[in-house]
Amino acid sequence: MSTGKQLAGLLLLTTALTFPGAALAQGTVSSPGTGAEGAPDAEGGSAPANEAEGPEEAEISIPGGGGEIIVTGRRTRDVTRSSTQVVSVLTSEQIARTGEGDIAGALGRVTGLSVQGQGFVYVRGLGDRYSLALLNGLPLPSPQPLSRVVPLDIFPTDVVASSLVQKTYSANFPGEFGGGVINLTTRAIPDESFLEISAGISGDEQTTFSTGNDYYGSDFDWFGFDDGTRDAPPALRQFFDSGLRMSDLEVDQQAIAKQLGNPNLVVTQKVEELPVNWSAGLTAGTSFPVFADGQFGVIATAGISNKWRNRSIIAQTAINADLDLDTDFRDFVTDNRILVNGLLGFGLELGDHRFRWTNLYIRDTLKQTRHSLGDDLQDGDTEFVQDTAWYERQLIDSQLVAELEFGNLDVDLRGGYAQTRREAPYEYSFTYVRTNNENDPLGDIFVNVLDRQRGSASVAFSNLKEELWYGGIDLGYALTDWLRLTAGYAYTDTDRYSERREFLFDADSGFEDAVGALRPDLLLGDAIIEYYDIGLIETTQSDPAFAAGLEIHAGYLQSRLNPVEGLTIDLGVRYEDATQRVDPVEVFATPTNSGSSTLLANDYYLPAGTITWELTDALQARISGSKTIARPQFRELIFQTYYDPETSRRFNGNPFLVDSELENYEARLEYYFGRGNRVSLAGFYKQIDNPIEIYSSFSDNVQVASFANAPRATLKGAELEFQYNHDLLDWGGWFETKRLVAVANYTFTDSEIEVGDDDTTQIFPGGERPATDYFRDGVPLTGQSDHLLNLQFGLEDLDRLQQFTVLFSYASERVTARGTGNLPDIVEDPGLRVDFVYRQDLNLFRLPVELKLEARNIFGRDHYEYQSNGTNRIEINTYEVGQSYALSLSTEF
């Protein structure tokens, strides 16, 4: 045999051995969710998607005795391209390039995504109720009273290895899929041992070294934990356990009141210079061989951050459609937010089988001090309000996943338990009133006489606990080389208990005005309480608590067909049977009329299909259609009042809410040119029946938001995405190892609520009402911006870590709540923000160190939330934001 033929045979053999493996790898990442529900693969698709990569081709020309043999191989490693669905992947490198400290901020750079409120991600203008957040493909409970979706700003980027966003529905995902699913993947087990240490400082011009407010609290507040100071006092705990009402004669109101005036929790202090923000983190991992062909690994992460924020808020309310002012306040709020997190993961690989046990702990604490000064223009009074609060949010999640391969059969098993808690002890509010009445001897002095007319004092204790059990199995089998079937079953059981007890300090008519001028701790001193017989009124007596649950049994069947080369058809159907309940909880020994239970029991068949056609080696097209649902959140289904400290609004639920049903359609073109370069254009359309919208009303001159089903809504839009890398080798010198990176995405969204004269909606209390009283035909959905734009321009080194990145983000106006009583909608105007991130590797003390510098909101874009009728405008929640700066260092051993 000639040497040429021997070489040809050897190369053909190695090609045959190599490219099936590449094809297998491609098949693994091309069907997100065929493993653990919603997970693209064991590593969440992060491993093959370090950068968006186009096809790689290798051509070998071998001269032989009978002519020339040409061997051509092709592989696609870009998950965005190879997936059978429309997905966007944020890898750890892409997250690092944005410099964001939490995953919500990084996701805000993804096409069609925006971050609103307290870390909630909106996909294509659809609110958090229409999105789904998963961790390693498994569901998460929420610590938020108003949401069943976990806020993503509690996830620091150092525990997230990658994030996959899927915008077209496939049957392996839960049916609550309107805008998309966001799957966070935690850091995987390492191939070799390492230890990484990081630390950073930051600050902003509105806060750092500026004057702020605080209160002492407890010795451990800086760590995000309380030392027991905020535990319910003995007399109050005894009252809770007794089942009595505060108005019962057996209750010693004064004994309870005396224990509620802790000076450490009610006396606010002026801080001349607030400190810099700081953070620290530690990550370590190792792996070692076990058995004959096994590998066992461990990874652990721990981190803490402590941040301060000042906001000087303009808060106004209107009395009529002309926007004549009812109240005009200036709120000065100082937030101290402490985030503690930990991750412990174990991994085992035995041949083709993989096992992962992941344990996550996150604790997010907000210590808030608020001073409000303003005028009640209808009464002619001036009010000073002091609020102090402590909000703890905690997530514990333990999940176990097994991925087993038996030839053509894949078996994926998953299960776990997650728990979230939110506790808010000692929410104090003190209102002092100045009458401005010349005939009043104390008309020019702020007094609090505890009669709710010239001042008030209240304290609230709230607790929320949500538990989630989940499990499932997926079976995947390749019947032929062109047909693969997957069937699966999933079970989730969510239970939530929420309780809020608010008490109003109450004085009789003999309370002297001069005493009302005392500061809060003296006003609630033991001597004052005893002398003036100050008692307590429980304002939440009619609706103190509720229990809720959601149980879902789901099964699905999904097929992936490749009938001809370059054509992939993903078809599936999901069946979900769900029972959702919300029940008032009787905390008193004798029942009250605290409302009726709400029960939603529905089952759905949810079909989904996506066709992907590779028109050329560089161009592919997709079309997709599906039906999905969106369920009401727990608190939205019960008529109880909740105060949101972020938006300074009160919310009431509506037991008459029903599920929303969606039809989703999309068409898309994707063009890949060169390694890491691509451009795509997509159009999408959604029809929503019974969308849930927020509207605002007034109760006792206080603005209250609630929820109702609008009759119908449509949402349509287009997305344009572009990514381009250009090497600067030809420039020579310093630029010889550099490349330019340009990433741009733009989303246009147009949504309309459709309301006819004969349409009705269910309002609680009140029942059926004309829908036109609450919704206006043609207005956009709440939370939807017409225009979203993100730009990144970077210069980076190819041989070492050195990156300069300028980031632009723009969002046009969006409605945050509906106005009622002919009042205009409440509108937020995010505008344009510009950031800069610099990353550089250094050698300090013979250690490799990564330096990161950040400048955020360089042009000082402020936060605007307002109502406008075209002529007049009032500010609802408007404040200056200013620039912020950060410096961090990390090293790996």
Side-chain angles (χ1 to χ4, degrees), residues 54 57 134 137 199 201 207 217 222 319 326-327 410 485 598 645 780 819 826 868:
E57 293 190 300
L134 306 173
I201 58 173
T207 307
W222 67 273
I319 197 172
D326 181 22
T327 62
D410 295 337
L485 294 179
T598 301
I826 299 174
S868 175

Side-chain angles (χ1 to χ4, degrees), residues 834-845:
V834 181
D835 303 330
F836 174 75
V837 179
Y838 167 66
R839 299 173 64 214
Q840 173 76 58
D841 65 350
L842 303 171
N843 195 318
L844 296 178
F845 307 107

Side-chain angles (χ1 to χ4, degrees), residues 262-280:
N262 188 336
N264 288 336
L265 302 178
V266 300
V267 177
T268 61
Q269 307 168 23
K270 181 179 180 180
V271 181
E272 293 295 340
E273 290 188 358
L274 291 174
V276 298
N277 307 325
W278 57 271
S279 62

Side-chain angles (χ1 to χ4, degrees), residues 874-890:
I874 65 171
E875 306 300 325
I876 302 297
N877 182 31
T878 296
Y879 54 88
E880 295 183 358
V881 177
Q883 297 91 352
S884 62
Y885 305 92
L887 164 68
S888 63
L889 297 172
S890 64

Side-chain angles (χ1 to χ4, degrees), residues 250-294:
E250 302 96 313
V251 177
D252 188 346
Q253 297 184 15
Q254 288 191 2
I256 299 174
K258 289 178 181 178
Q259 294 181 4
L260 292 176
N262 188 336
N264 288 336
L265 302 178
V266 300
V267 177
T268 61
Q269 307 168 23
K270 181 179 180 180
V271 181
E272 293 295 340
E273 290 188 358
L274 291 174
V276 298
N277 307 325
W278 57 271
S279 62
L282 177 69
T283 303
T286 188
S287 62
F288 48 86
V290 294
F291 305 112
D293 59 349

Side-chain angles (χ1 to χ4, degrees), residues 187-425:
R187 299 184 66 163
I189 305 305
D191 295 327
E192 57 185 25
S193 300
F194 76 96
L195 173 63
E196 181 179 300
I197 301 174
S198 62
I201 58 173
S202 65
D204 70 82
E205 66 169 353
Q206 297 294 320
T207 307
T208 312
F209 304 132
S210 298
T211 301
N213 294 322
D214 194 15
Y215 65 97
Y216 182 77
S218 74
D219 292 338
F220 293 163
D221 283 6
W222 67 273
F223 189 54
F225 292 82
D226 179 72
D227 64 359
T229 300
R230 294 181 176 86
D231 292 345
L236 182 63
R237 174 50 55 193
Q238 184 179 2
F239 165 73
F240 286 155
D241 294 339
S242 70
L244 297 172
R245 290 184 174 81
M246 189 60 72
S247 55
D248 292 341
L249 295 177
E250 302 96 313
V251 177
D252 188 346
Q253 297 184 15
Q254 288 191 2
I256 299 174
K258 289 178 181 178
Q259 294 181 4
L260 292 176
N262 188 336
N264 288 336
L265 302 178
V266 300
V267 177
T268 61
Q269 307 168 23
K270 181 179 180 180
V271 181
E272 293 295 340
E273 290 188 358
L274 291 174
V276 298
N277 307 325
W278 57 271
S279 62
L282 177 69
T283 303
T286 188
S287 62
F288 48 86
V290 294
F291 305 112
D293 59 349
Q295 190 80 5
F296 180 79
V298 182
I299 188 168
T301 297
I304 182 173
S305 65
N306 189 308
K307 298 182 179 180
W308 295 82
R309 179 176 68 153
N310 277 340
R311 288 177 293 160
S312 185
I313 303 170
I314 304 175
Q316 300 172 320
T317 60
I319 197 172
N320 52 37
D322 292 332
L323 297 184
D324 294 326
L325 287 179
D326 181 22
T327 62
D328 186 7
F329 276 79
R330 301 297 180 269
D331 302 345
F332 187 79
V333 184
T334 300
D335 292 332
N336 183 201
R337 184 182 182 190
I338 306 99
L339 185 64
V340 177
N341 66 84
L343 171 72
L344 180 61
F346 303 92
L348 174 64
E349 295 185 9
L350 294 175
D352 294 331
H353 309 312
R354 292 187 289 183
F355 305 86
R356 291 182 64 181
W357 182 26
T358 304
N359 303 276
L360 179 67
Y361 174 81
I362 296 177
R363 183 181 178 88
D364 182 18
T365 303
L366 176 66
K367 183 182 182 182
Q368 186 176 88
T369 309
R370 178 187 297 265
H371 288 170
S372 303
L373 179 64
D375 297 320
D376 184 333
L377 300 176
Q378 304 309 306
D379 294 338
D381 297 339
T382 301
E383 297 180 3
F384 172 76
V385 184
Q386 174 194 299
D387 298 331
T388 54
W390 173 268
Y391 305 98
E392 303 172 1
R393 298 185 298 179
Q394 182 172 285
L395 167 66
I396 300 173
D397 192 5
S398 181
Q399 50 185 228
L400 184 63
V401 175
E403 299 176 350
L404 313 175
E405 293 187 16
F406 305 96
N408 289 336
L409 175 66
D410 295 337
V411 180
D412 294 338
L413 302 170
R414 60 192 179 276
Y417 168 78
Q419 180 197 98
T420 56
R421 299 189 71 108
R422 179 187 185 273
E423 295 185 6

Side-chain angles (χ1 to χ4, degrees), residues 726-791:
H726 179 69
D727 293 346
L728 302 180
L729 176 65
D730 296 338
W731 289 29
W734 183 79
F735 292 99
E736 190 171 351
T737 60
K738 302 296 187 292
R739 73 172 175 182
L740 292 173
V741 177
V743 180
N745 59 70
Y746 167 72
T747 304
F748 169 74
T749 310
D750 178 44
S751 65
E752 291 185 356
I753 293 179
E754 299 176 355
V755 186
D757 292 337
D758 297 331
D759 288 325
T760 60
T761 189
Q762 296 284 338
I763 302 297
F764 188 90
E768 187 174 285
R769 300 289 297 276
T772 52
D773 288 353
Y774 299 88
F775 309 105
R776 290 190 290 275
D777 185 60
V779 299
L781 293 165
T782 54
Q784 179 251 307
S785 293
D786 288 352
H787 307 281
L788 293 175
L789 175 66
N790 289 290
L791 299 173

